[in-house]
Amino acid sequence: MDMERVQAIAFSFMTEGRIPPEFIRSEKEQPAITTLHGYDPQIPTIDFSDPDEDSLTSLIAEASRDWGMFQIVNHGIPTHVINNLQKVGEDFFALPQEEKELYAKPPDSKSIEGYGTRLQKEEEGKRAWVDHLFHKIWPPSAINYQFWPKNPPSYRDANEAYAKCLRGVADKLLSRLSVGLGLGEKELRESVGGDELTYLLKINYYPPCPRPDLALGVVAHTDMSAITILVPNHVQGLQLFRDDHWFDVKYIPNALVIHIGDQLEILSNGKYKSVLHRTTVKKDMTRMSWPVFLEPPPELAIGPLPKLISDDNPPKYKKKRYCDYVYCKLNKIPQ
Ligand code: OGA
Ligand code: NI
């Protein structure tokens, strides 16, 4: 095991009213000091069932340009499919620690898949108040079932059902985003790998925290993916950085939170924005979230799309293989 799980630490500090010092963020990061309340701009909420494709395209393209994050409602994924995904994830994290460790990310593994606690190196040995489980859910050729919990027994069915529904949402999003760039409906999807586009599920588990004013869940970052599609539970915690401040993103029941990731910012040569976000934690509640990162295959080189480049709009980003991009990002090497 790479380090003690936050879930276990949370349990042993439950009645202490304090947290271990490595979880105390610097004053520049502490949510109690850095969150803006009162003035509350909200990311756009978009009705995904809008039959007017032009209108849907402009709403999505504008949100991706101005915010880099939006919520979609009426997305067509049945509520029971999402509820089942959440239930089996909750059941997994409720298992005894030894049983969860069966799915631990192997120490020498190059892949991100598995149960784990730390994602990237943090300065000064700081730690984030979150555990996670990563595994791919699509395409079938990319799946490693060794990282899919066998308990609860319905884990696999619930995840397969969600993956199936999510593909429809992802394809529709990519086609609207593609048209929003002035491209054909299929071009953007092809540029991120076509049928090889990988769906990487992460479950974030944020246990109750005795000092939510001092700690952070996931620290400030942009997603490396092309797009991220996230299901939260009912506990608010996601924050977005805008106009030099951190804001709470409102929890909307049954909505999916869409993040534009770095690869889409690069492909669009900066037209769509990969937005800085982080998560806060709560004193008495467990927060969970289920982001799916839509990622290009590792060897695919991603750069600004040639059709979007001109003398007036020269490339703003380097072209590089997705695996090299990930390596640099996780090791904090400039891109
Ligand atoms: C992430 C992330 C947000 C959330 O895991 O990349 O940004 O709401 N999660 O948990
Ligand atoms: Ni993220």
Side-chain angles (χ1 to χ4, degrees):
M1 176 161 89
D2 55 349
M3 57 172 61
E4 195 180 4
R5 304 305 180 192
V6 175
Q7 194 175 1
I9 296 170
F11 187 75
S12 57
F13 278 73
M14 202 158 49
T15 55
E16 292 225 15
R18 64 178 190 96
I19 51 175
E22 63 270 27
F23 289 96
I24 301 179
R25 312 306 313 191
S26 73
E27 290 194 353
K28 282 205 262 3
E29 286 186 286
Q30 287 177 16
I33 306 178
T34 57
T35 301
L36 195 67
H37 294 290
Y39 166 62
D40 222 10
Q42 274 304 319
I43 57 171
T45 302
I46 298 175
D47 182 350
F48 211 50
S49 69
D50 186 345
D52 181 344
E53 289 198 339
D54 292 342
S55 145
L56 187 59
T57 299
S58 8
L59 289 171
I60 289 179
E62 277 164 31
S64 306
R65 189 188 63 206
D66 299 343
W67 291 86
M69 198 191 278
F70 51 96
Q71 313 212 39
I72 57 174
V73 292
N74 302 324
H75 43 67
I77 303 185
T79 311
H80 72 268
V81 170
I82 292 183
N83 289 347
N84 287 345
L85 174 82
Q86 294 178 307
K87 176 78 173 72
V88 296
E90 286 161 11
D91 288 351
F92 171 71
F93 277 92
L95 292 176
Q97 201 54 43
E98 319 80 78
E99 201 171 340
K100 292 197 285 277
E101 296 301 340
L102 298 175
Y103 303 92
K105 172 175 131 79
D108 49 357
S109 160
K110 284 204 202 74
S111 153
I112 208 168
E113 287 184 282
Y115 173 58
T117 294
R118 185 171 61 175
L119 206 52
Q120 27 181 287
K121 285 203 169 48
E122 277 212 60
E123 281 138 43
E124 301 159 15
K126 287 286 175 212
R127 294 190 57 186
W129 196 266
V130 60
D131 295 326
H132 61 246
L133 173 69
F134 271 108
H135 60 71
K136 293 176 195 159
I137 55 171
W138 192 262
S141 59
I143 293 178
N144 296 310
Y145 284 110
Q146 73 186 98
F147 297 114
W148 288 43
K150 293 195 181 40
N151 205 356
S154 56
Y155 190 90
R156 181 163 167 171
D157 281 352
N159 277 262
E160 284 177 348
Y162 182 63
K164 192 166 166 222
C165 293
L166 198 59
R167 286 168 52 212
V169 173
D171 286 350
K172 185 164 163 181
L173 264 175
L174 283 166
S175 73
R176 291 305 102 213
L177 286 161
S178 195
V179 175
L181 290 171
L183 306 168
E185 290 196 357
K186 299 214 161 68
E187 278 181 84
L188 194 57
R189 186 175 181 276
E190 285 309 311
S191 311
V192 290
D195 290 342
E196 285 181 82
L197 179 67
T198 306
Y199 290 50
L200 174 67
L201 172 76
K202 179 188 188 195
I203 307 180
N204 285 304
Y205 185 88
Y206 307 96
C209 177
R211 292 300 304 268
D213 53 330
L214 303 179
L216 279 179
V218 175
V219 303
H221 68 284
T222 59
D223 290 355
M224 294 182 267
S225 56
I227 309 180
T228 306
I229 304 177
L230 180 142
V231 171
N233 74 351
H234 64 284
V235 181
Q236 198 285 322
L238 178 60
Q239 293 192 324
L240 159 116
F241 192 71
R242 189 179 164 90
D243 303 331
D244 271 340
H245 294 285
W246 287 101
F247 297 100
D248 289 333
V249 172
K250 185 171 69 185
Y251 164 70
I252 301 175
N254 299 317
L256 298 172
V257 185
I258 312 298
H259 296 66
I260 300 298
D262 298 345
Q263 305 314 306
L264 221 54
E265 176 169 322
I266 295 170
L267 284 161
S268 69
N269 202 32
K271 179 168 176 198
Y272 295 152
K273 301 282 179 332
S274 177
V275 71
L276 201 59
H277 55 282
R278 70 178 187 186
T279 54
T280 59
V281 293
K282 290 276 187 285
K283 193 171 179 127
D284 304 308
M285 281 185 282
T286 297
R287 179 162 191 272
M288 289 182 72
S289 65
W290 288 257
V292 171
F293 302 98
L294 303 184
E295 301 192 311
E299 305 291 328
L300 185 65
I302 303 280
L305 287 167
K307 281 192 186 168
L308 305 180
I309 298 306
S310 63
D311 290 343
D312 298 337
N313 186 16
K316 296 190 180 111
Y317 307 86
K318 276 189 221 156
K319 179 170 182 169
K320 67 200 297 187
R321 292 186 308 170
Y322 184 59
C323 54
D324 297 331
Y325 188 91
V326 170
Y327 180 84
C328 291
K329 183 125 173 174
L330 290 178
N331 291 288
K332 297 199 180 337
I333 301 166
Q335 296 291 349

